[in-house]
Amino acid sequence: MECSSHHFDAIVVGAGIMGSSTAYQLAKRGQKTLLLEQFDFLHHRGSSHGESRTIRATYPEDYYCDMVLESLQMWEQAQSEAGYKVYFKAQQFDMSPSDNKSLRSVISSCEKNSIPYRVLDRQQVSDRFAGMINIPEDWFGVLTDVGGVIKPTKAVSMFQALAFQRGAVLRDNMEVKNVVKDEVRGGVNVETANGEKFWGKKCVITAGAWARKLVKTVAGLELPIQALETTVCYWRIKEGKEAKFAIGSDFPTFASYGEPYVYGTPSLEFPGLIKIAVHGGYPL
């Protein structure tokens, strides 16, 4: 007789933010769920670690907006179930040269999706963010209330705890080597590096930078995924001005559509420091 403890409705491979939240949602819907992670839980090898990620509705690609608005409700619900916060609200400020097509597309997306926004010229930016943000003469900015900061490591931990509370099985240090269709029973057999095998009606792969290798092994498909090494910088706030730039103040999450594209957050993870990073990086 096969062990029922190795049979699941859904098997999720990869326990970063995508996999952990997927396991939570599946378990919440009454699905018998297994979450597998090749390293320790909450490791620092992937992209779902650290203390801050910006969240905003101002994307040039119109389809993101509805997803962001829905996700904000889901963030609020999940953290209310957990009893602590991982999402901290802030305004979002985007800036660019006046002829930048991407930021013009952001405005169109805001209009289409009924997101209130303000377009600010250089003087208005200087007045609104006096002593905090200045832009060149031929630039403009877009300010919305739909923004904020997510604490990623804390959020991953939250989703794993909520999934476990709802009956999900969580196993780390379980590298998945193959996913094979079960021709007899249907579903799939998931094989790990240590020799364990699990059966699931369905399998969800959320392996981040490792998805390309795993999907090629499983399906022979070459996904166009390239992992990048990025640089994140922290800029010290002048002494006595720390509160002015802290989360919860008037200082926004922000993005600059100049060259290069940079983005940042209010001071949150390290007291007295603002996170400012370049969007992009170098192939690993």
Side-chain angles (χ1 to χ4, degrees), residues 168-186:
V169 176
L170 281 63
R171 300 283 300 276
D172 62 357
N173 294 297
M174 298 285 284
E175 181 184 1
V176 171
K177 301 299 289 185
N178 207 357
V179 180
V180 181
K181 184 177 180 180
D182 192 320
E183 299 291 352
V184 178
R185 297 173 294 181

Side-chain angles (χ1 to χ4, degrees), residues 25-96:
Q25 290 291 345
L26 286 166
K28 190 176 181 179
R29 288 162 170 75
Q31 300 292 298
K32 186 180 180 184
T33 304
L34 172 65
L35 177 63
L36 298 175
E37 168 56 50
Q38 65 174 324
F39 304 120
D40 286 334
F41 287 136
L42 307 182
H43 67 83
H44 287 185
R45 295 178 176 89
S47 60
S48 301
H49 68 274
E51 296 299 318
S52 65
R53 296 292 187 279
T54 59
I55 184 168
R56 68 191 193 279
T58 51
Y59 285 89
E61 299 85 1
D62 181 68
Y63 53 82
Y64 276 118
C65 193
D66 280 343
M67 291 192 291
V68 172
L69 295 177
E70 182 179 5
S71 76
L72 291 176
Q73 296 176 1
M74 297 170 77
W75 279 112
E76 295 275 14
Q77 181 178 359
Q79 66 183 10
S80 70
E81 293 176 18
Y84 52 82
K85 292 181 64 175
V86 299
Y87 162 47
F88 298 83
K89 295 180 181 180
Q91 290 185 311
Q92 169 69 23
F93 180 68
D94 299 283
M95 60 197 109
S96 81

Side-chain angles (χ1 to χ4, degrees), residues 127-138:
D127 293 340
R128 176 65 180 78
F129 299 109
M132 294 187 286
I133 300 175
N134 288 308
I135 60 175
E137 185 67 44
D138 59 341

Side-chain angles (χ1 to χ4, degrees), residues 138-280:
D138 59 341
W139 281 45
F140 75 107
V142 177
L143 180 66
T144 73
D145 288 331
V146 186
V149 180
I150 301 290
K151 302 194 78 170
T153 297
K154 191 176 181 181
V156 172
S157 177
M158 176 187 74
F159 283 126
Q160 290 175 359
L162 291 174
F164 181 76
Q165 288 174 10
R166 285 156 180 75
V169 176
L170 281 63
R171 300 283 300 276
D172 62 357
N173 294 297
M174 298 285 284
E175 181 184 1
V176 171
K177 301 299 289 185
N178 207 357
V179 180
V180 181
K181 184 177 180 180
D182 192 320
E183 299 291 352
V184 178
R185 297 173 294 181
V188 294
N189 294 302
V190 177
E191 304 171 3
T192 65
N194 67 355
E196 286 202 62
K197 296 182 179 180
F198 303 93
W199 180 86
K201 293 179 182 178
K202 294 183 178 180
C203 179
V204 182
I205 295 176
T206 57
W210 292 270
R212 182 176 183 175
K213 176 183 176 182
L214 185 56
V215 170
K216 186 174 182 179
T217 299
V218 172
L221 298 175
E222 188 73 46
L223 296 179
I225 296 174
Q226 174 63 63
L228 300 178
E229 181 179 9
T230 63
T231 299
V232 178
C233 300
Y234 294 87
W235 298 79
R236 186 171 299 281
I237 303 166
K238 288 184 178 180
E239 188 174 351
K241 304 289 186 181
E242 292 87 355
K244 193 175 182 180
F245 291 87
I247 193 77
S249 68
D250 286 337
F251 191 70
T253 54
F254 61 90
S256 170
Y257 286 71
E259 188 61 44
Y261 180 106
V262 299
Y263 64 94
T265 70
S267 176
L268 173 64
E269 50 191 305
F270 299 115
L273 298 178
I274 296 175
K275 175 181 175 180
I276 303 177
V278 176
H279 179 64

